[in-house]
Amino acid sequence: MTASRSSLQIYAGLIGFCLITLGLGRYLDSQGVANLRQFGWDGVGLVALGTVGVWLAPRTGFADLLDRRVTNWQRLGRPLVVGLIFALADVLVFVWVIHPEPVTALMPFMQPFPYSILLYGSGALYVDVLYRLLPIPVLMWLVGRYALHNPRHTGLFWLLAGLSSLVEPLEQLITDSPALIAYSFASGYLMNLLQAYFFRKYGFLAGLMIRLGHYALWHVGFGLWVELRL
């Protein structure tokens, strides 16, 4: 099975989205917008390199981006709901436990709206390319084909999914208390593992939608709520 032409076109559109984010960020920065986070050329380059993962994914047992066997609910709706649930939990923990006092300014994980839509949309894509779209299909292709003689090996997928899902939770671990450490790691690991599972079963867009759902509420929606209250 190979990646469809439509899937490659959709992915090219995602690369274009990142280029728009880069351009708008630089324009706003030139206009003096303070504390603006930028999406740089390195991010665009990594996302563009993700085309290799799109091409290899169907060859290693993953559903294509626009696999006809996958419904739009499976590809878009269900993972979006999953991401929103993770985000809602994070918001409640932040508001009730980490920062119960009133928020009087945009937090470090927030950006001005509507630029936040572009930045965190591109950021979600970057993270999913870095942790899933590139490493898992590429390693399955190399190890599966030349060592196991089966690039679709299910056991190899779960090994790579389990290991790759550790990276982001460990990098972003909340260390305020043992309870928050446990919550931060468990929540982050489970979300990353679910993204890998949805990626394999329903295609890359399904895994990406989980993160987009999370970012839509946690970064964009929460940030907009804070802006409107200031």
Side-chain angles (χ1 to χ4, degrees), residues 4 19 28-29 37 42 62 75 85-86 109 127 130 132 142 148 155 165 195 200 203 217 225:
S4 67
L19 285 169
L28 293 174
D29 184 63
R37 292 176 60 185
D42 56 337
F62 294 81
R75 180 184 295 116
I85 291 172
F86 277 100
F109 57 87
V127 171
L130 179 64
R132 273 167 292 281
L142 292 174
L148 302 176
S165 297
Q195 285 189 268
R200 184 162 180 84
L217 180 56
W225 179 77

Side-chain angles (χ1 to χ4, degrees), residues 25-43:
R26 295 197 171 191
Y27 170 76
L28 293 174
D29 184 63
S30 70
Q31 299 301 304
V33 179
N35 301 318
L36 202 69
R37 292 176 60 185
Q38 299 284 333
F39 192 82
W41 282 109
D42 56 337

Side-chain angles (χ1 to χ4, degrees), residues 50 99 106 135 139 143 155 206-207 223:
H99 200 288
L106 288 179
L139 288 174
V143 177

Side-chain angles (χ1 to χ4, degrees), residues 111-206:
Q111 286 285 282
F113 184 87
Y115 175 68
S116 57
I117 297 175
L118 291 173
L119 179 65
Y120 289 112
S122 296
L125 182 57
Y126 175 90
V127 171
D128 273 23
V129 172
L130 179 64
Y131 295 138
R132 273 167 292 281
L133 182 58
L134 268 179
I136 300 181
V138 169
L139 288 174
M140 288 194 68
W141 175 259
L142 292 174
V143 177
R145 183 174 185 179
Y146 296 106
L148 302 176
H149 307 293
N150 178 11
R152 298 170 177 260
H153 198 284
T154 301
L156 177 59
F157 161 73
W158 282 112
L159 175 63
L160 294 173
L163 291 175
S164 63
S165 297
L166 284 169
V167 181
E168 188 191 24
L170 290 175
E171 288 180 342
Q172 301 186 9
L173 203 62
I174 299 175
T175 58
D176 297 59
S177 69
L180 285 176
I181 291 174
Y183 168 78
S184 175
F185 177 79
S187 175
Y189 184 77
L190 180 58
M191 193 179 96
N192 275 269
L193 192 62
L194 282 173
Q195 285 189 268
Y197 169 75
F198 272 69
F199 172 25
R200 184 162 180 84
K201 191 172 180 65
Y202 303 122
F204 176 68
L205 290 179

